């Protein structure tokens, strides 16, 4: 998914302690020399580069999977007081204090889902992250 659009607000750090942020045009400037450069942005994978890898005037970053550009939430507030500040009712207090005992079938189902399916998903995600890291390191 290559767009070639400049990326603003990329945090650039060097091994000798220099830090800067890219402009709205995607440009940045560093003073002095460095051996390694790190580029970080919330919507893109972190990239480390040695100074001898810098060729030309363009550095490309890989977008992160599952990133969202912008979310706007609109709603109406019907009540003047926030529900977080309301005093809980007697029934709510009793439910919060209740300490369930005995066999919990829902807990068993959750454990099964976590053990069988979610761990597989986490392994796949870790493998994908490792693959993307290897691509960036060999870029």
């Amino acid at each position: 998914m290559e767009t070639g659009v400049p990326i603003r607000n990329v945090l650039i750090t060097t091994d000798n302690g220099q830090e800067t942020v890219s402009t709205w045009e995607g440009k940045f400037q560093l003073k002095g020399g460095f051996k390694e450069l790190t580029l970080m942005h919330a919507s893109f994978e972190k990239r480390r580069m040695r100074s001898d890898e810098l060729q030309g005037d363009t550095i490309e970053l890989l977008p992160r999977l599952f990133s969202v550009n912008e979310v706007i939430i609109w709603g109406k507030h019907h009540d003047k007081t926030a529900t977080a500040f309301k005093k809980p009712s007697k029934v709510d207090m009793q439910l919060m204090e209740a300490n369930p005992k005995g066999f919990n079938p829902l807990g068993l189902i959750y454990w099964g889902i976590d053990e069988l399916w979610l761990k597989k998903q986490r392994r796949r995600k870790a493998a994908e992250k490792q693959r993307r890291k290897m691509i960036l390191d060999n870029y």
Side-chain angles (χ1 to χ4, degrees):
M1 190 169 84
E2 190 175 306
T3 61
V5 177
I7 306 167
R8 68 178 180 180
N9 297 329
V10 175
L11 177 64
I12 299 102
T13 58
T14 63
D15 57 341
N16 61 4
Q18 292 185 65
E19 278 191 7
T20 188
V21 177
S22 64
T23 65
W24 64 276
E25 299 171 306
K27 296 179 181 180
F28 66 93
Q29 187 173 14
L30 294 169
K31 298 175 183 172
F34 57 88
K35 292 180 184 174
E36 189 175 87
L37 179 72
T38 304
L39 299 122
M40 293 180 283
H41 191 278
S43 300
F44 296 88
E45 294 292 331
K46 179 164 64 168
R47 182 165 181 192
R48 288 192 174 129
M49 300 178 72
R50 293 186 313 273
S51 59
D52 60 339
E53 292 178 312
L54 292 173
Q55 299 172 357
D57 61 352
T58 303
I59 300 171
E60 294 182 3
L61 299 177
L62 291 176
R64 283 190 188 206
L65 298 178
F66 310 113
S67 67
V68 177
N69 290 338
E70 183 178 2
V71 175
I72 299 174
I73 300 172
W74 294 88
K76 293 182 181 179
H77 189 64
H78 297 288
D79 191 4
K80 296 292 182 193
T81 59
T83 57
F85 299 110
K86 285 185 179 178
K87 186 177 179 181
S89 68
K90 283 186 178 183
V91 174
D92 290 336
M93 289 298 290
Q94 290 172 349
L95 290 172
M96 286 189 279
E97 292 172 0
N99 191 6
K101 294 180 175 97
F103 177 70
N104 183 356
L106 291 176
L108 179 64
I109 291 170
Y110 176 75
W111 175 82
I113 289 172
D114 186 54
E115 284 295 314
L116 301 175
W117 188 68
L118 292 178
K119 282 190 177 179
K120 184 190 278 186
Q121 294 295 331
R122 286 187 210 116
R123 282 194 299 270
R124 283 184 187 160
K125 190 174 182 180
E128 178 64 22
K129 186 176 181 179
Q130 182 67 26
R131 186 184 69 81
R132 284 186 273 137
K133 183 182 183 315
M134 193 171 65
I135 289 171
L136 278 175
D137 289 345
N138 295 327
Y139 182 69

